Amino acid sequence: MLLLVTLAACGTSDAIDRVDDARLNAADRDSANWLTYGRTYSEQRFSPLRQINDSTVRELGLLWSHELPTTRGVEATPIVVDGVIYTTSAWSVVYAFDAITGRQLWTYDPKVDRSRARTICCDVVNRGLALYRGKLFLATLDGRLVAIAARTGLPVWDVTTVDRSKPYAITGAPRIAKGRVLIGNAGAEFGVRGYVSAFDAETGKLAWRVFSVPGDPKQGFESKALEAAAKTWHGEYWKTGGGGTTWDPIVYDPDLDLVYFGTGNGTAWYRDLRSPGGGDNLFLASILAVRGQTGEYVWHYQVTPGDNWDYDATQPLMLADLTISGTPRKVVMQASKNGFFYVLDRTTGQFISATPYVSGISWATHVDSVSGRPVESPTAYAGLKPVLVSPDVEGAHNWQPMAFDASKGVVYLGVRNGTQRVHAPNAEWVSDLSDRNMGDDRRYEGELNAKAAGATLNRGELIAWNPVERRSVWRVTLPVLQSGGVLATAGNLVFQGRADGHFIAYRAADGASLWDFDAATGIMAPPVTYLARGKQYVTLMVGWGGTMGLANPQNYGPLKPGFGRILTFAIGGAAKLTPTPYGHSAPPVAAIKLDTTAAAIREGDMLYRTYCRFCHGGNAIAGPLPDLRYATADVHRQFESIVIGGSRKTLGMPSFGDKLNSSQLRAIQAYVLSRAAAANAAGRR
Ligand code: CA
C-alpha cells in the first residue's frame, strides 16, 4: 500500500489513475476537465467556466486543428482530463492530443472488420469514450469493448460483447457505474435482440446483461420483467431478434444506484410484420431503469407503445432536479424522436409530462396527462398500407446531445421541425440492408407523395426549452434542417454546430447569435470546454456523415462533406483553417459509354435504391462517400470486382456477390452513368 501511495505521488501522469468514483461523482465541481460523455453523471453538458462569455466570445478564434484521415461522419464527445484530449473518429479509431498545443500523443486503431459495413445502419461513426482509473473504454463498430491505457494508447483487454454471426454494431459511448463499464448495441434495423451489458472495468469480465425484449419463450425468460413483456407480443417475434437496441443513451445515478437506458425500434419497424395481432411490444421504444449492481429491473416507461414509425427512444437521457408544482422531483428527461419532450420521475418511473416541442406532429394527437399514454391519430396507421407521418424517421430530435442550465431551468437542443415522410413497409421483413423495410417514398407515387412534397414547415431550429413550464423560452430558426449537439456554459453561452459547417455561439438568455466560425464541413458532434494552465478552451469534432449525410444528402443542403477534424478554440486564437479540398468542382462526365436501354436504366435505378443509396446517396448524389457519377473509366472497368468480388472490402465497400448478378450490375452502372450524363447536360454538380 505504501508503495502505491508513493508511486501515485510521483508525477502528474498518475493523475489519470485518480479518475475514480469519487472524482466522477464530483465532476460538476471539476470545471477544468470534461470527465465523462455528458460531463457529469447527469449528462447536463453545462460547464461552469466563464472566461469565454457573452462579451469575450467575439475574440474567440481557432487555436489549432488536426485533420483526420476520414470523410465519414464524426460524432464524438471528447474526454478532457489534465491537459489531454481523448477522442474517437470513424471506424472506432481513438486519438489522444495535447489539449493546449494540439500535438497528437498517440492513436489506437482497433482494426474493425470494415467488410461488415453492409449492416451498419447509419454510418461508421463512434460517439466517444469512457474513462476510469487510468483506462479509456472504447466500444467498437464490430461489437467489442476495449480497455486502453490512457497514458500509452495500448490495449489492456478486449472483449466481444455481441454474437458476431448477427448484424450487431456499436456506435455509442460506454458509461461508468461504480467499477463497471456499461454498453449497449445497435442493429434493430437488420434483426438483432437488444441488450445492455455491464463489464468489470479492471478485468473485462461480464457482470450482468439486461435484454430489452423477450426471447424465445421455449428457452425460458431471463427475468420476470421479460416474462411479463412477452405478453405484449404476438407471433414468433423472437425469430428476428425483436430489436429494441440501446444504441446510444445510458445514464447512471450513483445516489439511487440506478442505470437508465433508452431502447430503439423493433425488428421490423412495422408492427403488423413484427407482432401480427398488435400489442405494445415491451420494451421497445422505452426508457428503463435497472439496478447498477445487478441489472435488476426497477421500472419502465414506454415512450411509443407498439411503435410503427422508427420512433426509437434512444435520444439522450438527462437527469435533473426540478421543482414541479411546488414539489422537488428527481427527473429524467428526453426530447424524443416522436416529437414530445418527456419528464419522468427517475426514482419511481412515474410519468410527469410529455409536451410537443416541434410543430406538425401527426402520429399522435397528444399524450394522456394521467396515463402517460400517447393517443394515436387515425391517420398514423393503416396496417401495411403507406401512411404519411410526422416527425419523419430521423425524428424531431435524434442522438445529438442537449444541454441544461439549471440556474435558468432551460434545456437547449437542436430540433427538426415539421418533417414528414411517407411510411410504407415491404410485404415482408427481410434481414438485409437491401430491404431495410424503410418507407421508400418513391415507390408510392400519388396523393401521399404529393402531400409529403408539399410540406412547408420543414425547418431546423435551436430551442431553449423550459421543462417545468413545458414551453420554449426562445427558438432560433436555422438555415439548415439538421444541427448538432449542444454545449451550455456559465458564460451565458450556448454553442452549437450545423450541417452547413457553421459553428455558432448564441447568447443563452435570448438566443442572439454572437459568434460564427465556418468549419468547412458539416457538424453533428457536440462541443466541450475545459481549462488548461488556467485558460479556457472549446473543442469540437467536425465531419459530416451519419444516416442523414449518407442516404439523403440532398435534403440537407447546402451540403458540406469533407475530411473530419478536431478544432480547438481560445480567446485570441488566430490559426487559419486550410481544409484539404473535398468534392468536385465541375459537373460529372459519364466516363464510359455503355450499350444500354431505358428499361435497364430503370432497373438500375431500383437496384441502386435498394443496394447503394444508403451509402452513396439518393439519386446517386453522394455526400461523404464516393459520388458514383464521378467514377472514372478505371473504376467502371473494375465495377464487377469491386461490387461483386469485394475487392475494396478492407476500405469499407462491402461485397454484394450474394445479391447481384452481372446483368444487374450493368443496370446499376447504366443508371449511374445516366445520372452523370443528366447532371452534365444540366451543368450541375
Ligand atoms: Ca431506429
Side-chain angles (χ1 to χ4, degrees):
M1 186 53 89
L2 183 65
L3 181 68
L4 282 177
V5 169
T6 312
L7 282 175
C10 271
T12 53
S13 63
D14 294 305
I16 195 127
D17 292 334
R18 295 195 295 272
V19 176
D20 55 9
D21 295 321
R23 194 160 168 198
L24 289 176
N25 249 328
D28 192 35
R29 292 194 297 279
D30 189 351
S31 60
N33 297 304
W34 192 284
L35 295 179
T36 78
Y37 180 74
R39 187 171 177 271
T40 57
Y41 276 126
S42 62
E43 305 219 345
Q44 293 181 358
R45 290 179 182 263
F46 177 84
S47 168
L49 297 179
R50 55 174 76 218
Q51 282 180 13
I52 301 169
N53 58 43
D54 51 358
S55 25
T56 61
V57 72
R58 75 175 77 93
E59 294 147 43
L60 192 65
L62 183 68
L63 186 70
W64 58 264
S65 69
H66 188 96
E67 197 161 275
L68 306 167
T70 185
T71 59
R72 307 295 290 261
V74 178
E75 298 186 350
T77 297
I79 299 265
V80 189
V81 58
D82 303 330
V84 181
I85 296 172
Y86 304 96
T87 191
T88 65
S89 176
W91 300 110
S92 325
V93 177
V94 186
Y95 295 89
F97 296 101
D98 182 296
I100 296 175
T101 66
R103 185 169 66 93
Q104 185 176 311
L105 304 176
W106 54 256
T107 180
Y108 169 73
D109 182 351
K111 302 233 181 309
V112 302
D113 179 357
R114 298 191 181 195
S115 70
R116 290 166 60 93
R118 218 166 91 183
T119 51
I120 308 296
C121 82
C122 309
D123 203 358
V124 295
V125 297
N126 184 281
R127 293 190 202 89
L129 303 158
L131 170 67
Y132 188 69
R133 290 182 183 271
K135 293 191 198 67
L136 297 161
F137 300 93
L138 166 74
T140 68
L141 196 65
D142 56 2
R144 290 178 285 149
L145 185 66
V146 186
I148 302 162
R151 253 175 251 147
T152 61
L154 297 173
V156 178
W157 53 254
D158 182 335
V159 297
T160 299
T161 74
V162 298
D163 176 349
R164 295 189 66 192
S165 71
K166 300 209 163 74
Y168 283 104
I170 306 182
T171 56
R175 309 297 207 280
I176 301 296
K178 290 201 177 104
R180 305 258 169 79
V181 189
L182 309 173
I183 191 65
N185 44 55
E189 266 71 27
F190 309 106
V192 297
R193 185 181 180 204
Y195 54 86
V196 170
S197 312
F199 293 88
D200 185 285
E202 274 309 305
T203 63
K205 188 166 173 279
L206 181 68
W208 53 256
R209 175 163 290 169
V210 184
F211 289 93
S212 56
V213 293
D216 182 350
K218 285 195 286 297
Q219 310 285 321
F221 296 106
E222 290 88 352
S223 67
K224 284 262 179 286
L226 287 170
E227 188 174 357
K231 295 188 173 65
T232 67
W233 290 76
H234 294 97
E236 296 181 305
Y237 55 86
W238 59 90
K239 288 196 166 164
T240 63
T245 48
T246 294
W247 55 263
D248 196 71
I250 305 176
V251 262
Y252 180 57
D253 181 328
D255 296 330
L256 298 172
D257 188 38
L258 290 179
V259 171
Y260 306 93
F261 57 94
T263 65
N265 56 278
T267 310
W269 282 1
Y270 300 91
R271 58 191 182 217
D272 274 16
L273 296 176
R274 178 175 75 231
S275 174
D280 286 353
N281 300 171
L282 292 169
F283 299 103
L284 295 181
S286 299
I287 297 167
L288 285 100
V290 301
R291 297 222 181 280
Q293 278 307 296
T294 58
E296 183 197 345
Y297 167 93
V298 179
W299 60 256
H300 80 273
Y301 171 79
Q302 191 169 38
V303 177
T304 307
D307 171 43
N308 194 67
W309 312 276
D310 190 29
Y311 291 156
D312 315 53
T314 43
Q315 296 64 60
L317 295 170
M318 182 189 278
L319 311 183
D321 296 339
L322 302 179
T323 300
I324 299 171
S325 309
T327 309
R329 304 289 292 263
K330 288 175 179 289
V331 306
V332 55
M333 303 188 279
Q334 181 180 68
S336 206
K337 221 172 153 180
N338 72 13
F340 291 90
F341 192 102
Y342 291 83
V343 182
L344 308 175
D345 183 306
R346 73 173 182 271
T347 309
T348 62
Q350 191 199 349
F351 172 81
I352 296 175
S353 66
T355 314
Y357 63 89
V358 289
S359 57
I361 298 171
S362 75
W363 74 276
T365 56
H366 63 288
V367 177
D368 185 87
S369 62
V370 179
S371 67
R373 196 176 167 91
V375 179
E376 270 183 34
S377 307
T379 56
Y381 178 70
L384 295 178
K385 295 202 179 70
V387 288
L388 190 64
V389 287
S390 175
D392 68 9
V393 291
E394 282 148 21
H397 167 230
N398 210 302
W399 61 268
Q400 288 81 359
M402 44 193 203
F404 178 61
D405 182 341
S407 71
K408 295 185 173 72
V410 171
V411 179
Y412 305 96
L413 70 150
V415 306
R416 303 170 75 252
N417 219 358
T419 60
Q420 58 179 357
R421 179 155 163 178
V422 178
H423 212 55
N426 295 325
E428 60 182 324
W429 183 80
V430 185
S431 172
D432 195 279
L433 175 62
S434 59
D435 294 282
R436 292 185 57 196
N437 314 290
M438 295 183 70
D440 186 340
D441 32 14
R442 288 174 58 189
R443 278 187 296 149
Y444 292 88
E445 308 299 333
E447 196 195 341
L448 284 182
N449 232 5
K451 274 193 193 159
T456 52
L457 291 168
N458 214 314
R459 66 172 189 273
E461 289 180 312
L462 174 68
I463 68 171
W465 182 261
N466 185 315
V468 174
E469 295 172 4
R470 302 169 59 189
R471 63 178 183 94
S472 48
V473 177
W474 51 255
R475 306 179 82 98
V476 174
T477 300
L478 306 176
V480 287
L481 178 59
Q482 188 63 47
S483 58
V486 174
L487 163 71
T489 76
N492 194 24
L493 293 174
V494 174
F495 288 91
Q496 190 200 30
R498 303 191 305 233
D500 62 355
H502 283 266
F503 181 40
I504 315 277
Y506 300 88
R507 189 160 53 213
D510 59 6
S513 170
L514 300 179
W515 175 85
D516 183 338
F517 180 86
D518 184 357
T521 180
I523 301 167
M524 297 182 290
V528 299
T529 189
Y530 56 92
L531 217 55
R533 293 207 198 109
K535 187 172 167 143
Q536 186 183 357
Y537 300 83
V538 172
T539 288
L540 170 74
M541 309 292 296
V542 303
W544 181 241
T547 175
M548 302 89 167
L550 294 186
N552 300 303
Q554 67 275 34
N555 294 353
Y556 295 91
L559 183 66
K560 275 195 188 168
F563 285 88
R565 276 187 297 281
I566 177 169
L567 308 175
T568 292
F569 301 87
I571 297 293
K576 276 241 175 311
L577 195 63
T578 46
T580 302
Y582 181 82
H584 304 276
S585 52
V589 177
I592 61 165
K593 237 182 130 48
L594 205 65
D595 262 342
T596 190
T597 63
I601 291 171
R602 267 198 307 279
E603 187 199 358
D605 182 2
M606 282 311 293
L607 291 166
Y608 178 92
R609 243 180 276 167
T610 305
Y611 296 106
C612 317
R613 173 189 155 200
F614 288 105
C615 293
H616 290 283
N619 301 321
I621 301 167
L625 284 180
D627 188 317
L628 299 181
R629 299 171 306 159
Y630 289 86
T632 60
D634 198 41
V635 165
H636 276 287
R637 277 193 292 275
Q638 295 175 51
F639 223 68
E640 186 150 342
S641 81
I642 295 169
V643 181
I644 291 180
S647 64
R648 295 192 177 177
K649 262 161 80 165
T650 55
L651 299 173
M653 169 62 202
S655 159
F656 290 85
D658 59 331
K659 291 287 171 192
L660 296 168
N661 61 36
S662 299
S663 106
Q664 289 172 316
L665 194 82
R666 275 192 297 280
I668 292 173
Q669 245 176 319
Y671 168 69
V672 166
L673 288 162
S674 79
R675 295 288 302 150
N680 190 281
R684 275 185 285 115
R685 283 184 277 164

